[in-house]
Amino acid sequence: MTDSTYALLQRVSLNATTNTVTLNVSGLTGYTDLKIVTSTRKVESGGGTNLQMRFNGTTAGYVQRTIIGNGSTAVSYYDTSEIGFMYVNDASQSANTFSSTEIYIPNYSTTQSVKSVDIMNVVENNAVGGAICLTAVTWTNAAPITTIYFQVGNGAANFAANSTFSVYGISKLDVKLVSVGPSLVG
């Protein structure tokens, strides 16, 4: 039995390194929400390990609040630039280990003036530890989301081969009222 309310719409699997990935989500019909799942790694070592995301090529209108925990400390951030508090494993961390990110975008295709985004991101380094980032984002823009752009390290770094970006469409359930018979009230 298939669940028609949740469907894989697009998957990009990198065969070679690249510094950007753009997902085109325009023209999708029958879905109210999007869920994007990424598995990413950066080729380079060191600084600029944030996975950055923007909608429709726009760098303005974002407000994000992030909590990051690594098992011993927790910090929080507030930012109004591109969505960017998502970590990416890099070459200095455990070999062949990729970070994972889940991004939920309700009402992505509406013309509401504010859209919300929920993000959960995990980076792992088997030798040392890992971290989890939870981010809440609002994007103030009435345009429907048509493209989702990703880069790592301000575009100066490259995604490793085998990094993946999957887009799932989520539609509203059709709720049907069922009569179960007369009500007996005494």
Side-chain angles (χ1 to χ4, degrees):
M1 176 182 213
T2 60
D3 183 358
S4 63
T5 63
Y6 188 88
L8 176 63
L9 304 176
Q10 178 182 12
R11 176 170 287 140
V12 174
S13 184
L14 302 180
N15 295 323
T17 62
T18 185
N19 63 351
T20 63
V21 170
T22 301
L23 303 173
N24 183 347
V25 296
S26 65
L28 302 175
T29 58
Y31 301 99
T32 57
D33 305 351
L34 294 178
K35 180 178 181 179
I36 301 163
V37 178
T38 72
S39 176
T40 53
R41 184 173 176 87
K42 183 177 88 157
V43 174
E44 299 81 8
S45 295
T49 58
N50 283 356
L51 174 64
Q52 296 164 315
M53 180 176 72
R54 67 177 83 126
F55 303 131
N56 302 350
T58 303
T59 58
Y62 303 99
V63 175
Q64 62 182 331
R65 288 174 168 66
T66 302
I67 299 171
I68 301 171
N70 65 9
S72 61
T73 60
V75 293
S76 64
Y77 294 97
Y78 170 84
D79 196 359
T80 58
S81 62
E82 298 170 275
I83 304 167
F85 285 113
M86 298 176 280
Y87 289 125
V88 176
N89 279 71
D90 68 30
S92 69
Q93 295 170 318
S94 300
N96 300 315
T97 303
F98 287 67
S99 61
S100 64
T101 305
E102 290 190 13
I103 303 157
Y104 188 77
I105 310 168
N107 302 311
Y108 78 98
S109 64
T110 67
T111 55
Q112 293 175 290
S113 61
V114 178
K115 293 175 184 62
S116 63
V117 181
D118 302 320
I119 303 169
M120 182 181 71
N121 167 250
V122 177
V123 64
E124 184 179 340
N125 186 1
N126 294 334
V128 182
I132 185 168
C133 306
L134 302 173
T135 303
V137 179
T138 55
W139 184 46
T140 306
N141 192 311
I145 296 171
T146 57
T147 60
I148 303 168
Y149 170 89
F150 292 95
Q151 68 180 12
V152 64
N154 293 321
N158 291 292
F159 290 110
N162 299 316
S163 293
T164 60
F165 300 79
S166 301
V167 179
Y168 295 87
I170 300 172
S171 61
K172 290 182 181 176
L173 284 173
D174 289 330
V175 178
K176 295 181 175 133
L177 298 177
V178 178
S179 175
V180 293
S183 173
L184 300 175
V185 179

